[in-house]
Amino acid sequence: MTVSNGGGLEESSFVEPPKCAQKAEHRTGLTQCLLEKQRTPVSQENVVSSLLDMGFSDVHVNELLSIQPGTHPQQMLDIISELVLLGLNPEPVCVALKKSPQLLKLPVMQMKKRSSYLRKLGLGEGKLKRVLYCCPEIFTMRQRDIEVIVGVLKEKCLFTIKQVTEILHRCPYVLREDPGELEYKFQYAYFRMGIKHVDIVKTDFLQYSMTKTKQRHVFLERLGRYQTPDKNGQTQVPNPLLKDILRVSEAEFLARTAVSSAEEFEVFKKLLAREEEESEGCMADEEEEEEEDREEEQEL
């Protein structure tokens, strides 16, 4: 099976309004200020004024100083500066460091290299806030592991570069996924459910577990409320919107989308689990038989 290339989300050109131009100018000035501070060694006494200059409040400063009391002031300032240079505001920086204090122990050069890589992925200037909150290990995990996930999205699933950036921004949990399982999740959406690339991105489909997705999708199928679209994208019944399948609570899904009872859904989930266990058992038996056949051929 081949997947047609997912079209990129269109970008409209626009003239930057004066307010935005002023904001960009302020960012440039802040960047220069931070770079100067990184070049100048600081002590515990003046790190406070440096953080205040970056826009941190007194409360923020006290929080930051209490996260890792033994951290060298220069190290702390360098790490925080890199996060600010990536477009994070003071509050998200504090949240990220409180959630993952190990970030303050990272070698500064590693932080700079990872920051540069994230910019190449399009995750600078504000887009990093959600990613860092959901997956703070993006700074500590091996770059090779990130590249593998990006490779799956680009080469196996054929998302455009812009769509990959949107997925990483909207569904950062994909960075924790097994590459094979991530590819299977895409294939299930594209081939079984008939969802196009742009809709997979727009609906945050990849953030949902396969268990939840399969349970709700197959349940609707067997109720006659969902059909896989044909090659022309047509179905005999109108499929419910993805948000009404996955973004709602189980109670709302049953009441409004499936129009079924909780008892019926519970019975179905047990049956589906049993079916999948039997299917996996059959596949294991087939693999074992194939292995035995290969061994017999080698002996002959």
Short mmCIF file of all heavy atoms in Angstrom, two decimals, residues 161-210:
data_model
loop_
_atom_site.label_atom_id
_atom_site.label_comp_id
_atom_site.label_asym_id
_atom_site.label_seq_id
_atom_site.Cartn_x
_atom_site.Cartn_y
_atom_site.Cartn_z
N ILE A 161 6.96 18.75 6.08
CA ILE A 161 7.80 19.29 7.16
C ILE A 161 6.97 20.16 8.09
O ILE A 161 7.10 20.08 9.32
CB ILE A 161 8.96 20.11 6.56
CG1 ILE A 161 9.90 19.18 5.80
CG2 ILE A 161 9.72 20.85 7.66
CD1 ILE A 161 11.01 19.88 5.06
N LYS A 162 6.08 20.98 7.51
CA LYS A 162 5.24 21.84 8.35
C LYS A 162 4.29 21.01 9.20
O LYS A 162 4.04 21.33 10.38
CB LYS A 162 4.45 22.81 7.49
CG LYS A 162 3.62 23.78 8.33
CD LYS A 162 2.99 24.88 7.50
CE LYS A 162 2.23 25.84 8.40
NZ LYS A 162 1.56 26.91 7.63
N GLN A 163 3.75 19.94 8.64
CA GLN A 163 2.84 19.08 9.40
C GLN A 163 3.58 18.37 10.54
O GLN A 163 3.02 18.20 11.63
CB GLN A 163 2.18 18.06 8.47
CG GLN A 163 1.12 18.67 7.57
CD GLN A 163 0.61 17.69 6.52
OE1 GLN A 163 1.29 16.75 6.14
NE2 GLN A 163 -0.60 17.93 6.05
N VAL A 164 4.84 17.98 10.30
CA VAL A 164 5.64 17.35 11.36
C VAL A 164 5.82 18.33 12.52
O VAL A 164 5.68 17.97 13.69
CB VAL A 164 7.00 16.88 10.82
CG1 VAL A 164 7.92 16.44 11.97
CG2 VAL A 164 6.82 15.73 9.84
N THR A 165 6.12 19.59 12.20
CA THR A 165 6.27 20.61 13.23
C THR A 165 4.97 20.76 14.03
O THR A 165 4.99 20.84 15.27
CB THR A 165 6.63 21.97 12.61
OG1 THR A 165 7.89 21.86 11.94
CG2 THR A 165 6.73 23.06 13.67
N GLU A 166 3.84 20.79 13.34
CA GLU A 166 2.54 20.91 14.01
C GLU A 166 2.27 19.72 14.91
O GLU A 166 1.75 19.86 16.02
CB GLU A 166 1.42 21.05 12.96
CG GLU A 166 1.28 22.44 12.38
CD GLU A 166 0.97 23.49 13.45
OE1 GLU A 166 -0.03 23.35 14.16
OE2 GLU A 166 1.77 24.43 13.59
N ILE A 167 2.61 18.52 14.45
CA ILE A 167 2.39 17.31 15.26
C ILE A 167 3.23 17.37 16.53
O ILE A 167 2.75 17.08 17.63
CB ILE A 167 2.71 16.05 14.44
CG1 ILE A 167 1.65 15.83 13.35
CG2 ILE A 167 2.80 14.81 15.34
CD1 ILE A 167 2.00 14.76 12.34
N LEU A 168 4.50 17.73 16.39
CA LEU A 168 5.39 17.81 17.57
C LEU A 168 4.90 18.88 18.54
O LEU A 168 5.04 18.73 19.76
CB LEU A 168 6.81 18.12 17.13
CG LEU A 168 7.52 17.04 16.29
CD1 LEU A 168 8.90 17.51 15.88
CD2 LEU A 168 7.60 15.73 17.05
N HIS A 169 4.33 19.95 18.00
CA HIS A 169 3.82 21.03 18.84
C HIS A 169 2.52 20.63 19.53
O HIS A 169 2.34 20.83 20.74
CB HIS A 169 3.60 22.28 17.97
CG HIS A 169 2.94 23.41 18.71
ND1 HIS A 169 1.95 24.20 18.16
CD2 HIS A 169 3.12 23.88 19.97
CE1 HIS A 169 1.56 25.09 19.05
NE2 HIS A 169 2.24 24.93 20.14
N ARG A 170 1.59 20.04 18.77
CA ARG A 170 0.26 19.72 19.29
C ARG A 170 0.22 18.39 20.04
O ARG A 170 -0.58 18.23 20.98
CB ARG A 170 -0.74 19.69 18.14
CG ARG A 170 -0.90 21.01 17.41
CD ARG A 170 -1.66 20.85 16.10
NE ARG A 170 -3.04 20.48 16.34
CZ ARG A 170 -4.08 21.28 16.13
NH1 ARG A 170 -3.89 22.50 15.67
NH2 ARG A 170 -5.31 20.87 16.37
N CYS A 171 1.04 17.45 19.63
CA CYS A 171 1.04 16.11 20.25
C CYS A 171 2.46 15.70 20.64
O CYS A 171 2.99 14.71 20.10
CB CYS A 171 0.45 15.08 19.28
SG CYS A 171 -1.15 15.48 18.61
N PRO A 172 3.11 16.43 21.54
CA PRO A 172 4.50 16.12 21.88
C PRO A 172 4.72 14.73 22.45
O PRO A 172 5.84 14.24 22.45
CB PRO A 172 4.85 17.21 22.90
CG PRO A 172 3.55 17.71 23.42
CD PRO A 172 2.59 17.59 22.29
N TYR A 173 3.63 14.09 22.92
CA TYR A 173 3.78 12.74 23.47
C TYR A 173 4.26 11.73 22.42
O TYR A 173 4.71 10.64 22.77
CB TYR A 173 2.45 12.26 24.07
CG TYR A 173 2.05 13.02 25.32
CD1 TYR A 173 0.93 13.86 25.32
CD2 TYR A 173 2.78 12.91 26.50
CE1 TYR A 173 0.56 14.56 26.45
CE2 TYR A 173 2.42 13.60 27.65
CZ TYR A 173 1.30 14.44 27.62
OH TYR A 173 0.95 15.12 28.74
N VAL A 174 4.15 12.08 21.12
CA VAL A 174 4.63 11.16 20.09
C VAL A 174 6.13 10.91 20.24
O VAL A 174 6.64 9.88 19.79
CB VAL A 174 4.34 11.68 18.66
CG1 VAL A 174 2.86 11.83 18.42
CG2 VAL A 174 5.09 12.97 18.36
N LEU A 175 6.84 11.83 20.89
CA LEU A 175 8.28 11.66 21.09
C LEU A 175 8.58 10.46 21.99
O LEU A 175 9.69 9.94 21.97
CB LEU A 175 8.88 12.94 21.69
CG LEU A 175 8.90 14.15 20.75
CD1 LEU A 175 9.20 15.42 21.54
CD2 LEU A 175 9.93 13.95 19.64
N ARG A 176 7.60 10.05 22.77
CA ARG A 176 7.78 8.91 23.67
C ARG A 176 7.32 7.60 23.04
O ARG A 176 7.47 6.53 23.62
CB ARG A 176 6.98 9.12 24.96
CG ARG A 176 7.43 10.31 25.78
CD ARG A 176 6.49 10.52 26.94
NE ARG A 176 6.91 11.61 27.80
CZ ARG A 176 6.14 12.14 28.73
NH1 ARG A 176 4.90 11.71 28.89
NH2 ARG A 176 6.58 13.13 29.49
N GLU A 177 6.74 7.68 21.86
CA GLU A 177 6.15 6.50 21.21
C GLU A 177 7.23 5.57 20.66
O GLU A 177 8.31 6.01 20.24
CB GLU A 177 5.24 6.93 20.06
CG GLU A 177 3.98 7.64 20.49
CD GLU A 177 2.76 6.74 20.43
OE1 GLU A 177 2.92 5.51 20.29
OE2 GLU A 177 1.65 7.28 20.53
N ASP A 178 6.92 4.29 20.62
CA ASP A 178 7.74 3.34 19.88
C ASP A 178 7.54 3.66 18.39
O ASP A 178 6.40 3.82 17.94
CB ASP A 178 7.29 1.92 20.17
CG ASP A 178 8.02 0.92 19.31
OD1 ASP A 178 9.14 0.53 19.66
OD2 ASP A 178 7.45 0.50 18.27
N PRO A 179 8.62 3.79 17.62
CA PRO A 179 8.48 4.16 16.20
C PRO A 179 7.54 3.25 15.42
O PRO A 179 6.73 3.74 14.61
CB PRO A 179 9.92 4.06 15.67
CG PRO A 179 10.77 4.30 16.88
CD PRO A 179 10.03 3.67 18.02
N GLY A 180 7.61 1.95 15.66
CA GLY A 180 6.74 1.01 14.96
C GLY A 180 5.28 1.21 15.32
O GLY A 180 4.39 1.15 14.46
N GLU A 181 5.01 1.46 16.60
CA GLU A 181 3.64 1.68 17.05
C GLU A 181 3.09 3.00 16.51
O GLU A 181 1.91 3.11 16.19
CB GLU A 181 3.58 1.66 18.58
CG GLU A 181 3.84 0.28 19.16
CD GLU A 181 3.85 0.26 20.68
OE1 GLU A 181 3.58 1.34 21.27
OE2 GLU A 181 4.14 -0.79 21.26
N LEU A 182 3.96 4.01 16.39
CA LEU A 182 3.54 5.30 15.84
C LEU A 182 3.14 5.14 14.37
O LEU A 182 2.12 5.67 13.92
CB LEU A 182 4.66 6.33 15.98
CG LEU A 182 4.37 7.73 15.43
CD1 LEU A 182 3.17 8.36 16.14
CD2 LEU A 182 5.60 8.62 15.57
N GLU A 183 3.94 4.38 13.63
CA GLU A 183 3.62 4.14 12.21
C GLU A 183 2.30 3.37 12.09
O GLU A 183 1.48 3.68 11.22
CB GLU A 183 4.76 3.37 11.54
CG GLU A 183 4.53 3.16 10.06
CD GLU A 183 5.63 2.34 9.40
OE1 GLU A 183 6.62 1.99 10.09
OE2 GLU A 183 5.51 2.05 8.19
N TYR A 184 2.12 2.37 12.96
CA TYR A 184 0.87 1.59 12.92
C TYR A 184 -0.33 2.48 13.24
O TYR A 184 -1.40 2.35 12.62
CB TYR A 184 0.94 0.44 13.92
CG TYR A 184 -0.37 -0.31 14.07
CD1 TYR A 184 -0.87 -1.08 13.03
CD2 TYR A 184 -1.11 -0.21 15.24
CE1 TYR A 184 -2.07 -1.76 13.15
CE2 TYR A 184 -2.32 -0.88 15.37
CZ TYR A 184 -2.78 -1.66 14.32
OH TYR A 184 -3.99 -2.30 14.45
N LYS A 185 -0.17 3.40 14.18
CA LYS A 185 -1.27 4.30 14.54
C LYS A 185 -1.67 5.14 13.34
O LYS A 185 -2.86 5.34 13.08
CB LYS A 185 -0.84 5.18 15.72
CG LYS A 185 -1.97 6.03 16.29
CD LYS A 185 -1.46 6.95 17.41
CE LYS A 185 -1.12 6.18 18.67
NZ LYS A 185 -0.81 7.10 19.82
N PHE A 186 -0.66 5.63 12.61
CA PHE A 186 -0.97 6.40 11.40
C PHE A 186 -1.69 5.54 10.37
O PHE A 186 -2.68 5.96 9.76
CB PHE A 186 0.31 6.97 10.79
CG PHE A 186 0.11 7.43 9.37
CD1 PHE A 186 -0.52 8.64 9.09
CD2 PHE A 186 0.51 6.64 8.30
CE1 PHE A 186 -0.74 9.05 7.79
CE2 PHE A 186 0.29 7.04 6.99
CZ PHE A 186 -0.34 8.25 6.74
N GLN A 187 -1.17 4.33 10.15
CA GLN A 187 -1.78 3.45 9.15
C GLN A 187 -3.22 3.12 9.51
O GLN A 187 -4.08 3.05 8.63
CB GLN A 187 -0.96 2.17 9.02
CG GLN A 187 0.40 2.38 8.37
CD GLN A 187 1.23 1.12 8.31
OE1 GLN A 187 0.95 0.15 9.03
NE2 GLN A 187 2.26 1.11 7.49
N TYR A 188 -3.49 2.95 10.78
CA TYR A 188 -4.86 2.66 11.22
C TYR A 188 -5.77 3.84 10.89
O TYR A 188 -6.88 3.67 10.39
CB TYR A 188 -4.88 2.37 12.72
CG TYR A 188 -6.23 1.85 13.21
CD1 TYR A 188 -6.48 0.48 13.24
CD2 TYR A 188 -7.23 2.72 13.63
CE1 TYR A 188 -7.70 -0.01 13.66
CE2 TYR A 188 -8.46 2.24 14.05
CZ TYR A 188 -8.69 0.87 14.07
OH TYR A 188 -9.92 0.39 14.48
N ALA A 189 -5.29 5.04 11.18
CA ALA A 189 -6.08 6.24 10.89
C ALA A 189 -6.32 6.39 9.39
O ALA A 189 -7.44 6.65 8.94
CB ALA A 189 -5.38 7.49 11.44
N TYR A 190 -5.25 6.20 8.61
CA TYR A 190 -5.32 6.48 7.17
C TYR A 190 -6.10 5.39 6.41
O TYR A 190 -6.97 5.70 5.60
CB TYR A 190 -3.90 6.59 6.61
CG TYR A 190 -3.85 7.15 5.21
CD1 TYR A 190 -3.79 8.53 4.99
CD2 TYR A 190 -3.85 6.32 4.10
CE1 TYR A 190 -3.73 9.06 3.70
CE2 TYR A 190 -3.79 6.82 2.81
CZ TYR A 190 -3.74 8.20 2.62
OH TYR A 190 -3.69 8.70 1.34
N PHE A 191 -5.77 4.13 6.67
CA PHE A 191 -6.37 3.03 5.90
C PHE A 191 -7.67 2.51 6.49
O PHE A 191 -8.63 2.24 5.77
CB PHE A 191 -5.36 1.89 5.75
CG PHE A 191 -4.16 2.26 4.93
CD1 PHE A 191 -2.90 2.30 5.51
CD2 PHE A 191 -4.27 2.58 3.59
CE1 PHE A 191 -1.78 2.64 4.77
CE2 PHE A 191 -3.15 2.92 2.83
CZ PHE A 191 -1.90 2.95 3.43
N ARG A 192 -7.71 2.33 7.80
CA ARG A 192 -8.91 1.74 8.42
C ARG A 192 -10.02 2.76 8.62
O ARG A 192 -11.20 2.47 8.44
CB ARG A 192 -8.55 1.11 9.77
CG ARG A 192 -7.95 -0.26 9.67
CD ARG A 192 -9.00 -1.34 9.32
NE ARG A 192 -9.80 -1.70 10.49
CZ ARG A 192 -11.11 -1.47 10.61
NH1 ARG A 192 -11.76 -0.84 9.66
NH2 ARG A 192 -11.75 -1.85 11.69
N MET A 193 -9.62 3.98 9.01
CA MET A 193 -10.64 4.99 9.31
C MET A 193 -10.83 6.00 8.17
O MET A 193 -11.78 6.76 8.18
CB MET A 193 -10.28 5.72 10.61
CG MET A 193 -10.24 4.80 11.83
SD MET A 193 -9.87 5.68 13.38
CE MET A 193 -11.43 6.55 13.63
N GLY A 194 -9.89 5.98 7.22
CA GLY A 194 -10.03 6.89 6.08
C GLY A 194 -9.77 8.35 6.40
O GLY A 194 -10.36 9.23 5.79
N ILE A 195 -8.88 8.62 7.35
CA ILE A 195 -8.59 10.00 7.76
C ILE A 195 -7.38 10.51 6.98
O ILE A 195 -6.35 9.84 6.92
CB ILE A 195 -8.30 10.08 9.27
CG1 ILE A 195 -9.41 9.39 10.07
CG2 ILE A 195 -8.17 11.53 9.71
CD1 ILE A 195 -9.10 9.23 11.53
N LYS A 196 -7.50 11.67 6.39
CA LYS A 196 -6.42 12.25 5.60
C LYS A 196 -5.37 12.90 6.49
O LYS A 196 -5.61 13.21 7.66
CB LYS A 196 -6.98 13.28 4.62
CG LYS A 196 -8.03 12.72 3.66
CD LYS A 196 -7.49 11.56 2.83
CE LYS A 196 -8.52 11.02 1.86
NZ LYS A 196 -8.01 9.82 1.14
N HIS A 197 -4.20 13.15 5.90
CA HIS A 197 -3.08 13.74 6.64
C HIS A 197 -3.48 15.01 7.38
O HIS A 197 -3.20 15.16 8.58
CB HIS A 197 -1.93 14.07 5.68
CG HIS A 197 -1.19 12.88 5.17
ND1 HIS A 197 -1.66 12.09 4.15
CD2 HIS A 197 0.00 12.34 5.56
CE1 HIS A 197 -0.79 11.12 3.91
NE2 HIS A 197 0.23 11.25 4.75
N VAL A 198 -4.10 15.93 6.67
CA VAL A 198 -4.42 17.23 7.26
C VAL A 198 -5.36 17.07 8.46
O VAL A 198 -5.24 17.81 9.46
CB VAL A 198 -5.03 18.18 6.21
CG1 VAL A 198 -6.38 17.68 5.72
CG2 VAL A 198 -5.14 19.60 6.75
N ASP A 199 -6.26 16.09 8.41
CA ASP A 199 -7.20 15.88 9.52
C ASP A 199 -6.53 15.16 10.69
O ASP A 199 -6.91 15.37 11.84
CB ASP A 199 -8.42 15.10 9.03
CG ASP A 199 -9.26 15.91 8.05
OD1 ASP A 199 -9.48 17.09 8.32
OD2 ASP A 199 -9.67 15.36 7.01
N ILE A 200 -5.57 14.30 10.39
CA ILE A 200 -4.81 13.65 11.47
C ILE A 200 -4.09 14.70 12.30
O ILE A 200 -4.03 14.64 13.53
CB ILE A 200 -3.80 12.62 10.89
CG1 ILE A 200 -4.55 11.43 10.28
CG2 ILE A 200 -2.83 12.14 11.97
CD1 ILE A 200 -3.66 10.44 9.57
N VAL A 201 -3.55 15.71 11.60
CA VAL A 201 -2.84 16.81 12.29
C VAL A 201 -3.83 17.69 13.05
O VAL A 201 -3.67 17.96 14.24
CB VAL A 201 -2.04 17.67 11.29
CG1 VAL A 201 -1.40 18.86 12.01
CG2 VAL A 201 -0.98 16.83 10.59
N LYS A 202 -4.88 18.11 12.35
CA LYS A 202 -5.84 19.07 12.90
C LYS A 202 -6.59 18.53 14.12
O LYS A 202 -6.94 19.29 15.02
CB LYS A 202 -6.84 19.46 11.80
CG LYS A 202 -7.81 20.56 12.18
CD LYS A 202 -8.58 21.04 10.96
CE LYS A 202 -9.47 19.92 10.40
NZ LYS A 202 -10.30 20.41 9.27
N THR A 203 -6.84 17.21 14.15
CA THR A 203 -7.62 16.62 15.25
C THR A 203 -6.75 16.06 16.38
O THR A 203 -7.28 15.51 17.34
CB THR A 203 -8.52 15.49 14.72
OG1 THR A 203 -7.68 14.47 14.14
CG2 THR A 203 -9.50 16.00 13.68
N ASP A 204 -5.42 16.20 16.25
CA ASP A 204 -4.50 15.66 17.27
C ASP A 204 -4.68 14.15 17.44
O ASP A 204 -4.53 13.61 18.54
CB ASP A 204 -4.70 16.36 18.62
CG ASP A 204 -4.51 17.86 18.54
OD1 ASP A 204 -3.78 18.31 17.64
OD2 ASP A 204 -5.10 18.58 19.36
N PHE A 205 -4.99 13.46 16.35
CA PHE A 205 -5.28 12.03 16.40
C PHE A 205 -4.17 11.23 17.06
O PHE A 205 -4.43 10.29 17.83
CB PHE A 205 -5.52 11.50 14.97
CG PHE A 205 -5.81 10.03 14.90
CD1 PHE A 205 -7.12 9.56 14.97
CD2 PHE A 205 -4.79 9.09 14.79
CE1 PHE A 205 -7.40 8.20 14.93
CE2 PHE A 205 -5.06 7.73 14.74
CZ PHE A 205 -6.37 7.29 14.81
N LEU A 206 -2.92 11.58 16.78
CA LEU A 206 -1.79 10.77 17.24
C LEU A 206 -1.57 10.82 18.75
O LEU A 206 -0.77 10.05 19.28
CB LEU A 206 -0.51 11.19 16.51
CG LEU A 206 -0.52 10.97 14.99
CD1 LEU A 206 0.75 11.52 14.36
CD2 LEU A 206 -0.69 9.48 14.65
N GLN A 207 -2.28 11.70 19.45
CA GLN A 207 -2.09 11.77 20.91
C GLN A 207 -2.92 10.71 21.64
O GLN A 207 -2.67 10.42 22.82
CB GLN A 207 -2.46 13.15 21.43
CG GLN A 207 -3.96 13.42 21.50
CD GLN A 207 -4.27 14.74 22.16
OE1 GLN A 207 -3.55 15.16 23.06
NE2 GLN A 207 -5.32 15.40 21.72
N TYR A 208 -3.90 10.11 20.95
CA TYR A 208 -4.77 9.14 21.61
C TYR A 208 -4.19 7.73 21.53
O TYR A 208 -3.55 7.36 20.55
CB TYR A 208 -6.16 9.17 20.97
CG TYR A 208 -6.82 10.53 21.06
CD1 TYR A 208 -6.91 11.37 19.95
CD2 TYR A 208 -7.33 11.01 22.26
CE1 TYR A 208 -7.49 12.62 20.02
CE2 TYR A 208 -7.91 12.27 22.35
CZ TYR A 208 -7.98 13.07 21.22
OH TYR A 208 -8.55 14.32 21.32
N SER A 209 -4.46 6.94 22.56
CA SER A 209 -3.94 5.58 22.59
C SER A 209 -4.67 4.72 21.55
O SER A 209 -5.84 4.95 21.24
CB SER A 209 -4.13 4.97 23.99
OG SER A 209 -5.50 4.71 24.24
N MET A 210 -3.97 3.69 21.06
CA MET A 210 -4.59 2.79 20.09
C MET A 210 -5.73 2.02 20.73
O MET A 210 -6.73 1.70 20.07
CB MET A 210 -3.55 1.82 19.54
CG MET A 210 -2.77 2.33 18.34
SD MET A 210 -3.80 2.99 17.00
CE MET A 210 -4.89 1.64 16.66
#
